[in-house]
Amino acid sequence: MEKKGLSRRLLNRLADIYDWLLNRLERTILMGIRFVLPKKILSPHGFLGMLTFVTFIILGITGALLMFYYKPSLTSAYESVRLINEDIAFGMIIRNIHYHASNAMIFLAIYHMFYQFFAGRYKIRNEVIWITGVILGVLTIIEAYTGYDLIMNERAVLAINIGASLTSSIPVAGQFLASILIGSGFSDILIHYYAFHVFIIPLIMLLLITIHFPRNLILDMPMIAIISGAIIIVGGITPVSLGTKFDPNIPPGITVPEWYLTGLYAFIRTGIDKFIAGVLLPTLLVIIFLIIPFIDRGPKLSWAERPFATGLGIAGLGQIIITTVWGFYINPDPTLDLAERLMIDPFLFYGALAIITAAAFGFTYGYHIWVLPKRKNYSEKSKSNIKQWNLKIEGKRLLLSIIGLLGAQFIIDIMGLQMYMSGHADKAMIWIGASLIIFAIILHIMRSGIEDDKG
Amino acid sequence: MDKGVYLASVLFLLLGIIGIWFSYFSGLSETLSEMGGISILVLILGIMILPIGLLKGGRPTSKELIPIGLTLLLALALIGNPMIFFNKEPVIDETGRTITIHLVSEEWAFNKTNPTIKVQLGDRVHIILFNNGTVPHDFAIPGLSEEKTGIISPQATGELEFIVSKTGNFEYICSIPGHAELGMRGKFIVESPQE
């Protein structure tokens, strides 16, 4: 009796502390945000922004760990990254996650933006959220750009050179901006980029995120586990490389930038004026996205009923794909001069962009004029037509499937550990990622089981 | 639930598969392989959200796919065509020069200092390697020439002859495991012929 009384008193005490803390937190900003933990599968399109933020947190944690060993100086940067890759415990894994999470963050941000665009979410009093979102997207790409330059390999130097020459090509303010970006010379570059990468840009991003966050935040744990798992699996399949060390004494080999900048690289390689291709056109793109809520002001939200915005969005998507893939392509013919191999035929390139824009608007308006009117009851019909298969797992089978999945997870973890012990840190990541994805499935089965129990 | 989940997942699967083909299997350009990582990420994301789209989101009808589907197909055609059809099989003009390079391998360097070798595209390179060490060595240029000298015993000589078919920076190494790491590596630079 004595013992039970003690534990009861201890529990009461803990509950008191919890209540006390909750009461005080009422006064903070935290209670203004509502975190929703969904109890069933939701469309991931509703919380892509949250997933982007989760990758931002992953980047923050892994980046902070990398800061322990990275040295931002011209002479030792590459060697310090090599040290992280080869000697530091878990260094390879941390760097791999950091790199692939940056790719995932940019991809998710673009995915998030296009979904919000096609769903017309920038209307309904969301203009400020939309504008901060577009700025955040641009900052994310700049953040990633300053990040991969820190390695000081040939790829980094190519990107630094392009960034520096684009900045100084801006009329009037160019030289001043370039001096902020790269300092007085080559030896200043890394420390400047480092300051931007680890402090200035993330700080601005965090401030913007506080404005960008809506009041309801959906924390879908299974999807978060899936995204983390996907990042780690990709890290295992294509481990991030060190690249060739930059040596000012030998001519650099042929490299291309990261995928989110190859589009820009393609524009620059068409041979038109550097300022127009590298600064004016991208700025124009950003401005179009910024002002779209003020152009498309109708009350309609569905993509099918907003042909102009939809055409614009699809044209943008097609242009991004064309410029990005083309930016990776360098003529493999070794008999040509390097400048000739890098050259992109401007007629083919801009022709393709013009054709795709015309086609996007053509198809969208075609659909709007000829197909949509024949489908009058379209929205009601399609809603009632949605097939929803319910895979119900109940009772004993629920328990058995969870035990089975836990068993599978255990085996996969052992495989991963074995891989790691035998020196294949990168291959171990495939197993760790798979384990995380099984964890996501377990989480989902558990939450749907709990829901079924209640109902 | 919206039908967009299914649409996005199909889009990602297609982009992922086509991206992986462009990167690793098309053979169009070496730099395209840098696209592999993001393509695999897109493919995995597509696989992950496909069940959500299939089970819960409902599927768009074929007519709803007209604007986006046709545009993206056209986009792929517009990228693919110039790369595939304008991609000529390169013809290497031989310079007619034969460059003979004498190397001596020891533990653990070539010619004590691993000198940088510079040649031009189209040169015939003739390597004569004398092994002055105490263990077997060989000579190879990964990425440039498939052939090697073969393993050369101590105090023996081996030869390698090939026509340089690529420009770029390569590394010559002793391909016996561990030897390159111990220092038997040097730079091999191929420049395009000056006109």
Side-chain angles (χ1 to χ4, degrees), chain A residues 302-316:
Chain A
S302 159
W303 65 269
E305 291 165 298
R306 295 182 299 138
F308 178 73
T310 305
L312 198 68
I314 294 176

Side-chain angles (χ1 to χ4, degrees), chain A residues 395-405:
Chain A
K396 222 179 207 172
R397 274 207 267 156
L398 182 102
L399 199 66
L400 278 176
S401 55
I402 288 181
I403 291 171
L405 284 168

Side-chain angles (χ1 to χ4, degrees), chain B residues 97-103 117 119 123-129 159-161:
Chain B
R97 295 194 303 173
T98 300
I99 294 177
T100 309
I101 298 162
H102 291 273
L103 290 173
I117 302 171
V119 297
D123 283 350
R124 180 180 292 273
V125 173
H126 185 196
I127 307 269
I128 302 170
L129 176 63
E159 293 184 38
L160 172 69
E161 202 173 305

